[in-house]
Amino acid sequence: MELLRFATAGSVDDGKSTLIGRLLYDTKSILEDQLAAVERTSHARGDEYVNLALLLDGLKAEREQGITIDVAYRYFSTAKRKFIIADTPGHLQYTRNMVTGASTADLALILVDARKGVLEQTRRHAFIASLLRVPHLVLCVNKMDLVDYDQGVFDRIREEFRQFSMKLDVSDLSFIPISALGGDNVVTRSEKMPWYQGPTLLHHLENVHIASDRDLIHLRFPVQGVIRPASAKKFHDYRAYSGQLLGGVMRVGDEVMVMPSGFTTRIKALELAGKPLKEAFPPMSVNVSLEEELDISRGDMLCRPGNPPTASQDIDAMVCWLSDSTQLNSGSRLAIKHTTRMARAMVKQLHYRLDVNTLHRDEQSSGLKLNEVGRVTLRTTVPLFFDEYRRNRSTGSFILVDEGTNATVGAGMINGPAVDR
């Protein structure tokens, strides 16, 4: 069954957790004891209704304050699809958590309070979703019950957001009026909004086309480990390479090239959980056996001989800074993790800081602070094998790590190899 990952986003109190709780409740994805616990907590808080947002708010501080702080992941399925939901915070200071939740999403749900319209945080999250190349964007105008299901309110918000989205790189944009509290247009169609003729939210999630979002042309297989079960006599000469296929299709008998050595060989066998395969495709994690015994280790990459990724030590990238204790400056030295390859990196130049509200480029900025985004040139100690982020989100992304604390301090999207300006 096909899997869809989606993230919720938007300003604080727009109803993200309530919407996800409603989805889980109406698709009967909640256990009886979970629902009973939510009912008890809602009653203890003095709520006049069952607060479905409590299904997502797992931290004590979240339940006390009625806000989302950390990313909450939930899983459910229907007859058509399986879903992984990332409920991300709406507060400005937790923007980095939204980046984390949306980085692997196939679709982003951005909620807008019908009474407040498009806010600064709405634009910020829409821009980040665009920057992260989330292929599909859905704007849910929530709390339509509080504006008497007025079509004019929905049309005005839709047009305002559409005008803003023209500045972004958004390929698929949809609009749905909903009431998460009452369930209108979430799982079932609302009779209170007969003027809306589009699909319900769940119907859209079940049917949005995501198969073509994955790169099935350019073969990219970063080696994660070498499997040599020398202790078993039966497999004394067995050698395979494990990893996740990030692009292209692998078939038994296909010719492949190993980077960085450049040696070529053919695929002898493919395995998944000990069972042989004839072919593999993203995002499958498989074992690959080759006909030739080559020197291959973690961090190397298998690709097509005539279609390799870019190999470079100088990288042009956009970076989201995630640390509240340090900032990114020209000359900063950090560890970088790209696919399965680790290296050290130096920030050669900070070109500009991007204002995510106005999209203004501040070329006079001296550094990036928490939740800020900027364009940088990096120099790594060894070549990385990458594609442009717009072509492949997996081989075009990386994280930056503080070597002193081992904390992840930055997330990057590669524009391409750096060129001297």
Side-chain angles (χ1 to χ4, degrees), residues 319-342:
V319 170
C320 299
W321 193 245
L322 311 177
S323 174
D324 54 2
S325 58
T326 60
Q327 72 175 32
L328 182 74
N329 304 306
S330 294
S332 294
R333 298 176 183 271
L334 301 155
I336 185 171
K337 185 181 185 300
H338 172 261
T339 63
T340 59
R341 201 167 180 83
M342 289 291 296

PDB file of all heavy atoms in Angstrom, residues 319-342:
ATOM      1  N   VAL A 319      20.806  27.305   3.707  1.00  0.00           N
ATOM      2  CA  VAL A 319      20.908  26.684   5.025  1.00  0.00           C
ATOM      3  C   VAL A 319      19.867  27.282   5.966  1.00  0.00           C
ATOM      4  O   VAL A 319      19.723  28.512   6.046  1.00  0.00           O
ATOM      5  CB  VAL A 319      22.318  26.868   5.620  1.00  0.00           C
ATOM      6  CG1 VAL A 319      22.355  26.430   7.081  1.00  0.00           C
ATOM      7  CG2 VAL A 319      23.338  26.067   4.824  1.00  0.00           C
ATOM      8  N   CYS A 320      19.130  26.414   6.656  1.00  0.00           N
ATOM      9  CA  CYS A 320      18.251  26.827   7.757  1.00  0.00           C
ATOM     10  C   CYS A 320      19.019  26.596   9.050  1.00  0.00           C
ATOM     11  O   CYS A 320      19.429  25.465   9.329  1.00  0.00           O
ATOM     12  CB  CYS A 320      16.960  26.001   7.767  1.00  0.00           C
ATOM     13  SG  CYS A 320      15.956  26.157   6.296  1.00  0.00           S
ATOM     14  N   TRP A 321      19.216  27.651   9.835  1.00  0.00           N
ATOM     15  CA  TRP A 321      20.008  27.527  11.062  1.00  0.00           C
ATOM     16  C   TRP A 321      19.090  27.128  12.214  1.00  0.00           C
ATOM     17  O   TRP A 321      18.062  27.755  12.458  1.00  0.00           O
ATOM     18  CB  TRP A 321      20.727  28.831  11.356  1.00  0.00           C
ATOM     19  CG  TRP A 321      21.794  28.683  12.404  1.00  0.00           C
ATOM     20  CD1 TRP A 321      21.832  29.251  13.642  1.00  0.00           C
ATOM     21  CD2 TRP A 321      22.989  27.891  12.296  1.00  0.00           C
ATOM     22  NE1 TRP A 321      22.970  28.871  14.310  1.00  0.00           N
ATOM     23  CE2 TRP A 321      23.710  28.025  13.507  1.00  0.00           C
ATOM     24  CE3 TRP A 321      23.521  27.084  11.299  1.00  0.00           C
ATOM     25  CZ2 TRP A 321      24.921  27.395  13.750  1.00  0.00           C
ATOM     26  CZ3 TRP A 321      24.731  26.450  11.525  1.00  0.00           C
ATOM     27  CH2 TRP A 321      25.416  26.597  12.740  1.00  0.00           C
ATOM     28  N   LEU A 322      19.468  26.090  12.945  1.00  0.00           N
ATOM     29  CA  LEU A 322      18.599  25.476  13.939  1.00  0.00           C
ATOM     30  C   LEU A 322      19.089  25.644  15.369  1.00  0.00           C
ATOM     31  O   LEU A 322      18.455  25.146  16.302  1.00  0.00           O
ATOM     32  CB  LEU A 322      18.450  23.969  13.650  1.00  0.00           C
ATOM     33  CG  LEU A 322      18.095  23.582  12.216  1.00  0.00           C
ATOM     34  CD1 LEU A 322      18.064  22.072  12.072  1.00  0.00           C
ATOM     35  CD2 LEU A 322      16.763  24.183  11.805  1.00  0.00           C
ATOM     36  N   SER A 323      20.189  26.329  15.577  1.00  0.00           N
ATOM     37  CA  SER A 323      20.783  26.421  16.903  1.00  0.00           C
ATOM     38  C   SER A 323      20.439  27.743  17.566  1.00  0.00           C
ATOM     39  O   SER A 323      20.514  28.803  16.936  1.00  0.00           O
ATOM     40  CB  SER A 323      22.310  26.259  16.813  1.00  0.00           C
ATOM     41  OG  SER A 323      22.911  26.491  18.066  1.00  0.00           O
ATOM     42  N   ASP A 324      20.101  27.659  18.862  1.00  0.00           N
ATOM     43  CA  ASP A 324      19.843  28.886  19.617  1.00  0.00           C
ATOM     44  C   ASP A 324      21.041  29.313  20.457  1.00  0.00           C
ATOM     45  O   ASP A 324      20.997  30.336  21.138  1.00  0.00           O
ATOM     46  CB  ASP A 324      18.618  28.716  20.518  1.00  0.00           C
ATOM     47  CG  ASP A 324      18.740  27.502  21.437  1.00  0.00           C
ATOM     48  OD1 ASP A 324      19.788  26.828  21.391  1.00  0.00           O
ATOM     49  OD2 ASP A 324      17.788  27.231  22.185  1.00  0.00           O
ATOM     50  N   SER A 325      22.122  28.531  20.428  1.00  0.00           N
ATOM     51  CA  SER A 325      23.291  28.853  21.247  1.00  0.00           C
ATOM     52  C   SER A 325      24.466  29.364  20.425  1.00  0.00           C
ATOM     53  O   SER A 325      25.386  29.971  20.968  1.00  0.00           O
ATOM     54  CB  SER A 325      23.737  27.617  22.049  1.00  0.00           C
ATOM     55  OG  SER A 325      24.039  26.545  21.179  1.00  0.00           O
ATOM     56  N   THR A 326      24.454  29.121  19.138  1.00  0.00           N
ATOM     57  CA  THR A 326      25.533  29.595  18.257  1.00  0.00           C
ATOM     58  C   THR A 326      24.902  30.182  17.001  1.00  0.00           C
ATOM     59  O   THR A 326      23.704  30.030  16.754  1.00  0.00           O
ATOM     60  CB  THR A 326      26.483  28.450  17.858  1.00  0.00           C
ATOM     61  OG1 THR A 326      25.730  27.429  17.167  1.00  0.00           O
ATOM     62  CG2 THR A 326      27.158  27.844  19.072  1.00  0.00           C
ATOM     63  N   GLN A 327      25.728  30.833  16.187  1.00  0.00           N
ATOM     64  CA  GLN A 327      25.243  31.312  14.906  1.00  0.00           C
ATOM     65  C   GLN A 327      26.227  30.925  13.807  1.00  0.00           C
ATOM     66  O   GLN A 327      27.397  30.632  14.071  1.00  0.00           O
ATOM     67  CB  GLN A 327      25.002  32.811  14.913  1.00  0.00           C
ATOM     68  CG  GLN A 327      26.238  33.689  14.938  1.00  0.00           C
ATOM     69  CD  GLN A 327      25.868  35.172  14.813  1.00  0.00           C
ATOM     70  OE1 GLN A 327      24.821  35.615  15.267  1.00  0.00           O
ATOM     71  NE2 GLN A 327      26.739  35.936  14.172  1.00  0.00           N
ATOM     72  N   LEU A 328      25.745  30.914  12.583  1.00  0.00           N
ATOM     73  CA  LEU A 328      26.569  30.541  11.428  1.00  0.00           C
ATOM     74  C   LEU A 328      27.211  31.795  10.861  1.00  0.00           C
ATOM     75  O   LEU A 328      26.525  32.765  10.509  1.00  0.00           O
ATOM     76  CB  LEU A 328      25.690  29.873  10.363  1.00  0.00           C
ATOM     77  CG  LEU A 328      26.428  29.383   9.113  1.00  0.00           C
ATOM     78  CD1 LEU A 328      27.236  28.130   9.436  1.00  0.00           C
ATOM     79  CD2 LEU A 328      25.437  29.085   7.986  1.00  0.00           C
ATOM     80  N   ASN A 329      28.535  31.780  10.770  1.00  0.00           N
ATOM     81  CA  ASN A 329      29.285  32.907  10.231  1.00  0.00           C
ATOM     82  C   ASN A 329      30.217  32.427   9.137  1.00  0.00           C
ATOM     83  O   ASN A 329      30.511  31.229   9.024  1.00  0.00           O
ATOM     84  CB  ASN A 329      30.122  33.576  11.334  1.00  0.00           C
ATOM     85  CG  ASN A 329      29.290  34.009  12.520  1.00  0.00           C
ATOM     86  OD1 ASN A 329      28.314  34.728  12.362  1.00  0.00           O
ATOM     87  ND2 ASN A 329      29.669  33.561  13.716  1.00  0.00           N
ATOM     88  N   SER A 330      30.684  33.354   8.333  1.00  0.00           N
ATOM     89  CA  SER A 330      31.760  33.026   7.390  1.00  0.00           C
ATOM     90  C   SER A 330      32.970  32.570   8.191  1.00  0.00           C
ATOM     91  O   SER A 330      33.376  33.219   9.153  1.00  0.00           O
ATOM     92  CB  SER A 330      32.122  34.246   6.539  1.00  0.00           C
ATOM     93  OG  SER A 330      31.051  34.609   5.698  1.00  0.00           O
ATOM     94  N   GLY A 331      33.530  31.427   7.822  1.00  0.00           N
ATOM     95  CA  GLY A 331      34.659  30.865   8.548  1.00  0.00           C
ATOM     96  C   GLY A 331      34.270  29.804   9.557  1.00  0.00           C
ATOM     97  O   GLY A 331      35.157  29.144  10.125  1.00  0.00           O
ATOM     98  N   SER A 332      32.963  29.617   9.818  1.00  0.00           N
ATOM     99  CA  SER A 332      32.533  28.581  10.761  1.00  0.00           C
ATOM    100  C   SER A 332      32.970  27.202  10.270  1.00  0.00           C
ATOM    101  O   SER A 332      32.900  26.909   9.079  1.00  0.00           O
ATOM    102  CB  SER A 332      31.012  28.607  10.930  1.00  0.00           C
ATOM    103  OG  SER A 332      30.580  29.789  11.534  1.00  0.00           O
ATOM    104  N   ARG A 333      33.410  26.365  11.204  1.00  0.00           N
ATOM    105  CA  ARG A 333      33.837  25.005  10.874  1.00  0.00           C
ATOM    106  C   ARG A 333      32.903  24.021  11.570  1.00  0.00           C
ATOM    107  O   ARG A 333      32.708  24.081  12.783  1.00  0.00           O
ATOM    108  CB  ARG A 333      35.288  24.776  11.301  1.00  0.00           C
ATOM    109  CG  ARG A 333      36.267  25.691  10.576  1.00  0.00           C
ATOM    110  CD  ARG A 333      37.693  25.510  11.076  1.00  0.00           C
ATOM    111  NE  ARG A 333      38.602  26.445  10.430  1.00  0.00           N
ATOM    112  CZ  ARG A 333      39.249  26.219   9.299  1.00  0.00           C
ATOM    113  NH1 ARG A 333      39.084  25.051   8.680  1.00  0.00           N
ATOM    114  NH2 ARG A 333      40.057  27.115   8.775  1.00  0.00           N
ATOM    115  N   LEU A 334      32.345  23.104  10.772  1.00  0.00           N
ATOM    116  CA  LEU A 334      31.343  22.177  11.274  1.00  0.00           C
ATOM    117  C   LEU A 334      31.538  20.814  10.626  1.00  0.00           C
ATOM    118  O   LEU A 334      32.259  20.670   9.631  1.00  0.00           O
ATOM    119  CB  LEU A 334      29.932  22.686  10.946  1.00  0.00           C
ATOM    120  CG  LEU A 334      29.553  24.059  11.495  1.00  0.00           C
ATOM    121  CD1 LEU A 334      28.465  24.695  10.643  1.00  0.00           C
ATOM    122  CD2 LEU A 334      29.078  23.932  12.933  1.00  0.00           C
ATOM    123  N   ALA A 335      30.889  19.806  11.195  1.00  0.00           N
ATOM    124  CA  ALA A 335      30.811  18.510  10.531  1.00  0.00           C
ATOM    125  C   ALA A 335      29.588  18.518   9.624  1.00  0.00           C
ATOM    126  O   ALA A 335      28.590  19.184   9.912  1.00  0.00           O
ATOM    127  CB  ALA A 335      30.707  17.391  11.556  1.00  0.00           C
ATOM    128  N   ILE A 336      29.668  17.799   8.517  1.00  0.00           N
ATOM    129  CA  ILE A 336      28.551  17.729   7.583  1.00  0.00           C
ATOM    130  C   ILE A 336      28.213  16.267   7.310  1.00  0.00           C
ATOM    131  O   ILE A 336      29.110  15.433   7.145  1.00  0.00           O
ATOM    132  CB  ILE A 336      28.885  18.476   6.267  1.00  0.00           C
ATOM    133  CG1 ILE A 336      27.670  18.501   5.332  1.00  0.00           C
ATOM    134  CG2 ILE A 336      30.084  17.881   5.569  1.00  0.00           C
ATOM    135  CD1 ILE A 336      27.848  19.410   4.116  1.00  0.00           C
ATOM    136  N   LYS A 337      26.944  15.956   7.327  1.00  0.00           N
ATOM    137  CA  LYS A 337      26.472  14.612   7.001  1.00  0.00           C
ATOM    138  C   LYS A 337      25.592  14.697   5.766  1.00  0.00           C
ATOM    139  O   LYS A 337      24.557  15.362   5.771  1.00  0.00           O
ATOM    140  CB  LYS A 337      25.692  13.987   8.150  1.00  0.00           C
ATOM    141  CG  LYS A 337      25.281  12.540   7.879  1.00  0.00           C
ATOM    142  CD  LYS A 337      24.489  11.938   9.020  1.00  0.00           C
ATOM    143  CE  LYS A 337      24.210  10.457   8.761  1.00  0.00           C
ATOM    144  NZ  LYS A 337      23.428  10.246   7.519  1.00  0.00           N
ATOM    145  N   HIS A 338      26.027  14.014   4.712  1.00  0.00           N
ATOM    146  CA  HIS A 338      25.303  14.015   3.449  1.00  0.00           C
ATOM    147  C   HIS A 338      25.101  12.569   3.016  1.00  0.00           C
ATOM    148  O   HIS A 338      26.074  11.838   2.850  1.00  0.00           O
ATOM    149  CB  HIS A 338      26.096  14.797   2.387  1.00  0.00           C
ATOM    150  CG  HIS A 338      25.502  14.692   1.014  1.00  0.00           C
ATOM    151  ND1 HIS A 338      25.987  13.824   0.068  1.00  0.00           N
ATOM    152  CD2 HIS A 338      24.452  15.346   0.448  1.00  0.00           C
ATOM    153  CE1 HIS A 338      25.287  13.937  -1.038  1.00  0.00           C
ATOM    154  NE2 HIS A 338      24.354  14.851  -0.846  1.00  0.00           N
ATOM    155  N   THR A 339      23.866  12.137   2.858  1.00  0.00           N
ATOM    156  CA  THR A 339      23.512  10.724   2.662  1.00  0.00           C
ATOM    157  C   THR A 339      24.246   9.896   3.729  1.00  0.00           C
ATOM    158  O   THR A 339      24.048  10.114   4.901  1.00  0.00           O
ATOM    159  CB  THR A 339      23.794  10.245   1.222  1.00  0.00           C
ATOM    160  OG1 THR A 339      25.196  10.313   0.928  1.00  0.00           O
ATOM    161  CG2 THR A 339      23.037  11.091   0.212  1.00  0.00           C
ATOM    162  N   THR A 340      25.136   8.989   3.312  1.00  0.00           N
ATOM    163  CA  THR A 340      25.870   8.189   4.304  1.00  0.00           C
ATOM    164  C   THR A 340      27.312   8.656   4.462  1.00  0.00           C
ATOM    165  O   THR A 340      28.126   7.969   5.082  1.00  0.00           O
ATOM    166  CB  THR A 340      25.868   6.707   3.878  1.00  0.00           C
ATOM    167  OG1 THR A 340      26.484   6.576   2.576  1.00  0.00           O
ATOM    168  CG2 THR A 340      24.448   6.172   3.808  1.00  0.00           C
ATOM    169  N   ARG A 341      27.615   9.804   3.945  1.00  0.00           N
ATOM    170  CA  ARG A 341      28.994  10.303   3.942  1.00  0.00           C
ATOM    171  C   ARG A 341      29.169  11.394   4.997  1.00  0.00           C
ATOM    172  O   ARG A 341      28.369  12.323   5.074  1.00  0.00           O
ATOM    173  CB  ARG A 341      29.348  10.846   2.560  1.00  0.00           C
ATOM    174  CG  ARG A 341      30.842  10.931   2.248  1.00  0.00           C
ATOM    175  CD  ARG A 341      31.006  11.182   0.752  1.00  0.00           C
ATOM    176  NE  ARG A 341      32.392  11.275   0.343  1.00  0.00           N
ATOM    177  CZ  ARG A 341      33.173  10.239   0.071  1.00  0.00           C
ATOM    178  NH1 ARG A 341      32.692   9.016   0.191  1.00  0.00           N
ATOM    179  NH2 ARG A 341      34.424  10.404  -0.325  1.00  0.00           N
ATOM    180  N   MET A 342      30.216  11.277   5.791  1.00  0.00           N
ATOM    181  CA  MET A 342      30.543  12.281   6.802  1.00  0.00           C
ATOM    182  C   MET A 342      31.830  12.998   6.412  1.00  0.00           C
ATOM    183  O   MET A 342      32.748  12.389   5.862  1.00  0.00           O
ATOM    184  CB  MET A 342      30.726  11.635   8.169  1.00  0.00           C
ATOM    185  CG  MET A 342      29.439  11.133   8.814  1.00  0.00           C
ATOM    186  SD  MET A 342      28.334  12.458   9.332  1.00  0.00           S
ATOM    187  CE  MET A 342      29.324  13.268  10.603  1.00  0.00           C
TER     188      MET A 342
END
